[in-house]
Amino acid sequence: SQTIHQWPATLVQPVGSPLSLECTVEGTSNPNLYWYRQAAGRGLQLLFYSVGIGQISSEVPQNLSASRPQDRQFILSSKKLLLSDSGFYLCAWSAYSGTVVDQPQHFGDGTRLSIL
Amino acid sequence: AQSVTQLDSHVSVSEGTPVLLRCNYSSSYSPSLFWYVQHPNKGLQLLLKYTSAATLVKGINGFEAEFKKSETSFHLTKPSAHMSDAAEYFCVVKGTSYDKVIFGPGTSLSVIP
């Protein structure tokens, strides 16, 4: 069966420090991968998605970047964190399909990021 | 363009009574629709999905949803609420490309003992 792992579960970082959040998927090949941010009491905002190694699309301009160095690894990074980067970050995957519309996304347990 | 509206930001029910969480969508295409549940500080778990097969979709934990094209609705129901159902619920619409996934703002469900 497929599993998705996200770490760390919680992270407290000072303003201006770097960030690296990692997400890995097991049990599937060539997944579509996603990073979302969820602000307190709000819905999900898609940050990045990837359809293959080295292929990253950004949904919104921001202080963050993403990379996909391996097929099932997705990394969210920042060189200098801002206070506004605080939030709950979720990684998700969906199966690659010719008719992708019906493939649900499967989520990791998230990383709670607090910027001080 | 696609959009999702969850009509209630918060719903409160008594344990053992029915649950109704409302979702309306707008889509230029025949959409796929999903409901997810999120417990505090956890990721989202898929409850059920509609993908143009049967209009009444059964999901996990006793939840079901009915797709009504004429009303552009996909309401989530459960006959009898359990305390463990207290969580945030998201309605999601997905169109013709992998990146066009639209999440509703969520409905917070409280279950009163």
Side-chain angles (χ1 to χ4, degrees):
Chain A
S1 64
Q2 301 90 1
T3 56
I4 179 169
H5 302 281
Q6 228 186 299
W7 67 93
T10 60
L11 188 61
V12 180
Q13 292 283 95
V15 170
S17 63
L19 173 73
S20 181
L21 302 181
E22 189 161 343
C23 172
T24 59
V25 180
E26 297 177 358
T28 186
S29 296
N30 197 27
N32 295 324
L33 296 172
Y34 310 83
W35 277 112
Y36 288 88
R37 177 169 57 204
Q38 185 177 30
R42 300 182 66 179
L44 275 71
Q45 179 187 34
L46 179 64
L47 301 176
F48 301 96
Y49 64 91
S50 171
V51 299
I53 296 174
Q55 299 179 61
I56 309 295
S57 296
S58 174
E59 282 292 291
V60 294
Q62 58 206 314
N63 184 43
L64 302 168
S65 62
S67 61
R68 184 171 178 173
Q70 300 180 43
D71 181 45
R72 290 168 289 179
Q73 184 184 29
F74 206 24
I75 298 172
L76 184 68
S77 303
S78 174
K79 293 182 179 178
K80 280 188 173 183
L81 286 167
L82 306 172
L83 282 173
S84 57
D85 291 324
S86 291
F88 191 49
Y89 288 82
L90 290 158
C91 181
W93 73 273
S94 64
Y96 174 80
S97 169
T99 54
V100 293
V101 292
D102 61 348
Q103 294 296 332
Q105 295 182 350
H106 306 276
F107 287 81
D109 283 338
T111 295
R112 176 73 59 192
L113 176 63
S114 299
I115 310 300
L116 303 179
Chain B
Q2 298 173 97
S3 65
V4 178
T5 303
Q6 290 184 246
L7 298 165
D8 305 294
S9 59
H10 184 258
V11 170
S12 184
V13 300
S14 297
E15 189 176 17
T17 64
V19 176
L20 170 64
L21 304 182
R22 297 183 292 169
C23 172
N24 286 89
Y25 70 92
S26 171
S27 177
S28 302
Y29 310 95
S30 296
S32 291
L33 295 160
F34 310 84
W35 275 100
Y36 286 85
V37 61
Q38 183 181 30
H39 289 92
N41 293 311
K42 290 291 186 181
L44 279 70
Q45 181 184 20
L46 180 67
L47 280 177
L48 49 81
K49 68 176 182 178
Y50 165 77
T51 56
S52 75
T55 56
L56 182 62
V57 182
K58 294 188 182 299
I60 62 172
N61 301 336
F63 284 95
E64 61 182 38
E66 185 172 9
F67 174 71
K68 292 186 176 180
K69 186 176 181 178
S70 60
E71 299 177 10
T72 61
S73 69
F74 189 57
H75 301 335
L76 182 70
T77 61
K78 182 173 180 177
S80 176
H82 191 272
M83 294 300 295
S84 61
D85 295 327
E88 190 84 13
Y89 291 80
F90 293 94
C91 183
V92 178
V93 62
K94 198 173 183 190
T96 58
S97 55
Y98 53 82
D99 56 327
K100 299 302 181 186
V101 176
I102 308 298
F103 281 79
T107 297
S108 176
L109 175 65
S110 298
V111 181
I112 304 167

